Amino acid sequence: MEYHSIAVSHLDEGLYSIRLNRPEHKNSITATLVSELQHALGMLEELSACRVIVLEGTGGYFCTGMNFQAFTDGEDDAPGDSAAPPSVDFLQTMKRIGELSKMVIAKVDGQVLAGGVGLMAACDYVVASPRSTFALPEAIWGLVPALVSPYLIRRTGYWQAYKMTLTTLPLSSEEALGCRLADEVTADPDASILRLYRRISRITPQTVKEIKGYFRQMWIINETMEHAAVAEIDKLTASAEVRENIQNYVRYKRFPWEKE
């Protein structure tokens, strides 16, 4: 498959990278990016030589969430014949990360917003650089980070996820470390990831899969929660007020509280 929104590379022995590669759009999430990410995850899952996957961004951004431009253009830059709506596809991508027999490490070097926080939180380990920042700004536009929340709560606990959602305030890398949103903060993420890989590579993929499967049973992410998350985000993104808020920002850089 030819990728347009991501890049897959071999870093070292059994260590592979999936890089979100839309720096000109701050690595925002489109249907194309989600489709390519799902394909790459599936491909690396089948690759016996792969033991660990690094999910990373580029250009000072890990991922900044939903592609707002789609609300103005009326279409995404992706195939429009997807059998499932984008919210389901994105949720399934996060779920897929948690089901792989490979450990997935998020390498965060820069800004993470909205759905990007969800992608990161779905990973098994997060290594961040000191310049990284993390925020859930959805409420500004009248949205709720419904798809992100189950994975965020699993990482940070209920109150931290609630506070991030309600205040929309960004966290520094050290604050993220303090609330367990990040597992490590270092000026040299690549060196830390390589050290971690050398340890993890001793564990068989089957054991990794067993560990992930067992701990999923200990947590509350189930079909009922998934359906509720999809229903909530689909309801809000269909709202005329929300769509107007986003369109005004994309077209005029005007926030919802700024009147004409």
Side-chain angles (χ1 to χ4, degrees):
M1 181 175 181
E2 183 180 359
Y3 297 127
H4 301 282
S5 296
I6 68 171
V8 179
S9 59
H10 181 203
L11 300 176
D12 185 274
E13 298 181 14
L15 187 62
Y16 286 76
S17 163
I18 300 176
R19 187 173 73 252
L20 309 183
N21 197 29
R22 284 167 42 83
E24 69 281 9
H25 299 292
K26 301 181 180 180
N27 295 334
S28 60
I29 297 168
T30 66
T32 296
L33 184 144
V34 169
S35 176
E36 292 181 356
L37 181 54
Q38 288 178 341
H39 182 276
L41 290 169
M43 180 267 292
L44 291 176
E45 172 71 353
E46 296 299 318
L47 185 64
S48 59
C50 176
R51 304 297 291 272
V52 175
I53 300 169
V54 177
L55 182 61
E56 58 185 314
T58 187
Y61 304 97
F62 177 76
C63 176
T64 57
M66 183 192 305
N67 174 34
F68 275 7
Q69 192 65 43
F71 282 82
T72 299
D73 297 343
E75 59 183 14
D76 204 358
D77 64 350
D81 57 353
S82 174
S87 55
V88 172
D89 289 345
F90 182 63
L91 185 64
Q92 288 301 312
T93 302
M94 292 188 291
K95 185 177 180 180
R96 178 69 167 145
I97 290 171
E99 294 175 340
L100 295 177
S101 65
K102 326 290 182 176
M103 185 168 177
V104 184
I105 301 172
K107 174 187 169 184
V108 178
D109 182 26
Q111 190 178 51
V112 192
L113 297 176
V117 174
L119 277 180
M120 183 196 74
C123 293
D124 304 304
Y125 198 89
V126 177
V127 178
S129 69
R131 70 169 177 167
S132 300
T133 59
F134 311 76
L136 296 177
E138 285 92 335
I140 291 172
W141 317 107
L143 293 167
V144 173
L147 304 178
V148 169
S149 296
Y151 292 92
L152 181 60
I153 293 171
R154 184 180 67 171
R155 265 201 157 264
T156 69
Y158 171 87
W159 188 253
Q160 181 63 41
Y162 178 71
K163 184 170 67 173
M164 287 182 68
T165 299
L166 192 60
T167 68
T168 74
L169 291 171
L171 300 181
S172 68
S173 58
E174 289 300 328
E175 289 172 323
L177 182 65
C179 70
R180 302 191 300 275
L181 185 55
D183 296 298
E184 188 175 346
V185 174
T186 172
D188 192 351
D190 291 330
S192 292
I193 289 170
L194 190 56
R195 283 195 301 270
L196 184 60
Y197 162 72
R198 287 170 179 158
R199 182 74 182 189
I200 298 167
S201 63
R202 301 171 183 173
I203 305 171
T204 67
Q206 182 58 36
T207 301
V208 171
K209 193 174 184 68
E210 289 290 339
I211 291 170
K212 290 189 179 186
Y214 175 75
F215 275 87
R216 272 201 313 276
Q217 295 178 68
M218 300 296 104
W219 185 236
I220 58 174
I221 299 177
N222 53 33
E223 285 191 13
T224 300
M225 176 177 281
E226 290 171 351
H227 291 158
V230 169
E232 179 70 10
I233 199 66
D234 285 353
K235 176 188 73 175
L236 292 174
T237 53
S239 160
E241 181 179 356
V242 169
R243 297 183 74 88
E244 182 181 5
N245 287 342
I246 293 173
Q247 287 170 353
N248 283 338
Y249 180 73
V250 172
R251 289 171 175 162
Y252 313 117
K253 299 302 177 188
R254 190 168 67 232
F255 288 97
W257 60 83
E258 295 175 331
K259 303 300 182 181
E260 292 186 59

